[in-house]
Amino acid sequence: MSQLYEILTVLSPHESEEDVDAIIGGLRQQITKSGGEVLAVDNWGKRKLAYPIRKFDEGTYVLMQAEGPTNLSADFRQHTRIRESILRELIVALDGAHAAAVRSQLEEKGPEDSTLAEAQIEAAEERAAEKLARVTAPVTDVAAAAAGVEVVSAEELEAPAAEEAPTADEAPAAEEVADESAEVSAEEAPTAEVPVVDDAEDDVPSDDAGEEE
């Protein structure tokens, strides 16, 4: 069974008129998401608060009438609780004579301005897109410098430093490297020990051997 609700929302006085329209558009989206329908929206403007809220003495009042399922109230409170621009909300489920009186007033008033409703929803979508862009935007050099962070590009991380790379003048030529390698090889290679053979003694028979034969 559908329930008639009256919703009073107090917004931060720091919000501009454009921001207020965007916030109202977001409230419209939330009510629709919960399966409800917005019947009327009245922007009362800035008014004095009965008591300070978050150190504010005034706020922008928005009154809405909506119709929807029983979960609409809880979903709406969960939506507004995490938004700093919304100071307070009051949701009343209407029934009996009160509900009948509100429905009669809505019939006399007629349907709400669809053009204004669409503009508010569009403003809400633009506001959400801007917030998402700020959250996902990369850190700029200015912001990083303000935070004391040194920004290094991917190319600088992958490429070796120019000071470490040897220049063409400092690098040894290929022929010099080959000569040095040959000299080291010659010095380190062990010399073969060749036995000395006395050919004169082995080839020439002695006189004593001949006499013995």
Side-chain angles (χ1 to χ4, degrees):
M1 181 178 177
S2 183
Q3 175 69 52
L4 181 63
Y5 294 94
E6 200 164 55
I7 306 170
L8 180 62
T9 308
V10 182
L11 311 181
S12 168
H14 290 170
E15 301 294 336
S16 64
E17 294 182 3
E18 293 78 9
D19 291 334
V20 170
D21 286 339
I23 295 171
I24 293 175
L27 299 179
R28 289 179 179 275
Q29 290 176 321
Q30 177 57 41
I31 292 174
T32 303
K33 182 179 178 181
S34 298
E37 179 186 1
V38 178
L39 303 178
V41 176
D42 291 325
N43 183 355
W44 292 354
K46 293 182 182 180
R47 295 192 176 188
K48 186 77 173 178
L49 298 176
Y51 53 88
I53 301 177
R54 301 182 193 172
K55 299 182 179 181
F56 292 117
D57 295 327
E58 62 178 4
T60 300
Y61 284 72
V62 178
L63 179 65
M64 306 177 70
Q65 283 88 22
E67 193 172 19
T70 55
N71 62 291
L72 186 147
S73 177
D75 294 345
F76 190 88
R77 288 192 177 96
Q78 186 176 5
H79 172 79
T80 58
R81 187 178 296 116
I82 60 176
R83 282 161 174 78
E84 296 181 356
S85 57
I86 299 177
L87 304 181
R88 191 64 53 87
E89 84 285 331
L90 177 64
I91 306 176
V92 179
L94 305 180
D95 56 8
H98 194 179
V102 171
R103 290 185 184 278
S104 177
Q105 292 175 1
L106 293 174
E107 289 179 0
E108 293 178 0
K109 197 175 188 179
E112 64 172 344
D113 187 353
S114 59
T115 303
L116 176 60
E118 293 175 358
Q120 291 172 344
I121 293 175
E122 184 178 354
E125 294 174 349
E126 293 177 357
R127 180 184 174 102
E130 291 175 359
K131 287 185 176 181
L132 180 61
R134 287 197 298 267
V135 171
T136 59
V139 179
T140 62
D141 295 344
V142 176
V149 179
E150 181 180 0
V151 179
V152 180
S153 63
E155 292 78 4
E156 293 176 346
L157 290 175
E158 296 176 358
E163 297 179 358
E164 298 177 358
T167 61
D169 297 336
E170 296 175 353
E175 296 178 0
E176 296 179 0
V177 173
D179 295 341
E180 292 178 358
S181 301
E183 292 177 1
V184 172
S185 301
E187 293 176 0
E188 294 180 353
T191 56
E193 295 182 4
V194 180
V196 179
V197 179
D198 191 353
D199 295 338
E201 293 180 1
D202 292 342
D203 297 339
V204 180
S206 62
D207 296 339
D208 295 340
E211 293 177 357
E212 289 179 359
E213 291 178 356

